[in-house]
């Protein structure tokens, strides 16, 4: 079992460019989350999906869109990247009260 | 406002020197308190869940305890491999989302 995988691991974008962060889990969980982690801010929830076909906004959804493609995959899209979106992005798959995190994507927006 | 505060921000110990990390919370209707460990460059890894005051959980050199206002993560005779950031999070009320603390960065010197 790979658990939660994320691609890419690193990415550098210019302001205004778009990109999609990919996340997949092989644990057959219904719920999946996207977080960003910034120094001094902790983990903040961007979007979550309670089950296949549903998505909801978290604390900081502005500038992002998500797609729950199927039960395994949950992608995060930045349509027009801004320097304020420079961060480390984590995907998590949830089993009851336990969150299983991916290795993260380190994104820099210049 | 629901809030989670972790202290200290950073802690440096000698190998074998036991200590405790604190997580204090102010929430309406605690539904669970969670401890995670995060190594540099990696996603958080689940350690413990505590649901009610008086509950305790143990794993190797770690022991988590819970009162009505705070949780402690006790580290007994730590080893260098225990060096990491320890994150605390709580779930309150009917909200499925977690409120995260900023973490305690622990360094254990050999």
């Amino acid at each position: 079992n790979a658990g939660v995988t994320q691609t890419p691991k690193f990415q550098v974008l210019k302001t205004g460019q778009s990109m999609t962060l990919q996340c997949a889990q092989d644990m057959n969980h219904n719920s999946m989350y996207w977080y960003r982690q910034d120094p001094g801010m902790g983990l903040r929830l961007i979007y979550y999906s309670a089950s296949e076909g549903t998505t909801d906004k978290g604390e900081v959804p502005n500038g992002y869109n998500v797609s729950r493609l199927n039960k395994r995959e949950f992608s995060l899209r930045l349509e027009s990247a801004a320097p304020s979106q420079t961060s480390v992005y984590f995907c998590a798959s949830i089993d009851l009260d336990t969150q299983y995190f991916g290795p993260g994507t380190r994104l820099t927006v210049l | 406002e629901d809030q989670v505060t972790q202290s200290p921000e950073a802690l440096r110990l000698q190998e074998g020197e036991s200590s405790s990390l604190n997580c204090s919370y102010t929430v309406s209707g605690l539904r669970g308190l969670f401890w995670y460990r995060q190594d540099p460059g990696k996603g958080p890894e689940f350690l413990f869940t505590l649901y009610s005051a008086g509950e305790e959980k143990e794993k190797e050199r770690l022991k988590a305890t819970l009162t009505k206002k705070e949780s402690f993560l006790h580290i007994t005779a730590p080893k260098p491999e225990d060096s990491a950031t320890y994150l605390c999070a709580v779930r309150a009320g009917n909200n499925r989302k977690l409120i995260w603390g900023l973490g305690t960065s622990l360094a254990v010197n050999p």
Side-chain angles (χ1 to χ4, degrees), chain B residues 39-87:
Chain B
D39 292 300
K42 296 190 176 181
E45 178 184 353
F46 172 75
L47 290 173
F48 303 111
T49 305
L50 301 166
Y51 290 105
S52 56
E55 190 175 356
E56 299 181 351
K57 293 273 180 73
E58 283 189 73
K59 180 181 179 181
E60 296 180 354
R61 294 176 293 282
L62 301 178
K63 179 180 177 180
T65 61
L66 181 64
T67 72
K68 289 187 178 180
K69 294 183 178 180
E70 59 193 347
S71 176
F72 290 95
L73 185 65
H74 306 280
I75 304 176
T76 302
K79 298 181 178 182
E81 52 262 43
D82 294 321
S83 298
T85 295
Y86 291 85
L87 300 172

Side-chain angles (χ1 to χ4, degrees), chain A:
Chain A
N1 281 354
V4 180
T5 57
Q6 292 184 237
T7 56
K9 288 189 179 356
F10 301 93
Q11 184 71 48
V12 178
L13 293 178
K14 294 181 179 178
T15 297
Q17 289 184 317
S18 62
M19 77 162 295
T20 300
L21 282 65
Q22 306 286 356
C23 174
Q25 52 96 3
D26 62 1
M27 295 175 283
N28 202 36
H29 294 159
N30 287 318
S31 296
M32 297 180 73
Y33 289 6
W34 275 106
Y35 287 99
R36 59 178 290 174
Q37 188 175 40
D38 304 286
M41 301 292 289
L43 281 162
R44 292 183 291 170
L45 185 64
I46 305 171
Y47 270 93
Y48 66 99
S49 171
S51 61
E52 184 179 352
T54 68
T55 61
D56 285 288
K57 295 178 180 180
E59 300 172 67
V60 289
N62 291 346
Y64 305 96
N65 286 302
V66 291
S67 295
R68 184 72 183 269
L69 305 170
N70 47 55
K71 193 171 186 179
R72 290 188 64 248
E73 298 171 290
F74 188 35
S75 63
L76 179 71
R77 182 161 178 83
L78 287 69
E79 291 290 352
S80 179
S84 61
Q85 294 177 305
T86 293
S87 187
V88 181
Y89 292 85
F90 290 104
C91 175
S93 180
I94 292 82
D95 177 31
L96 299 177
D97 278 338
T98 301
Q99 300 196 12
Y100 298 88
F101 286 82
T105 294
R106 282 143 189 83
L107 174 66
T108 301
V109 183
L110 302 174

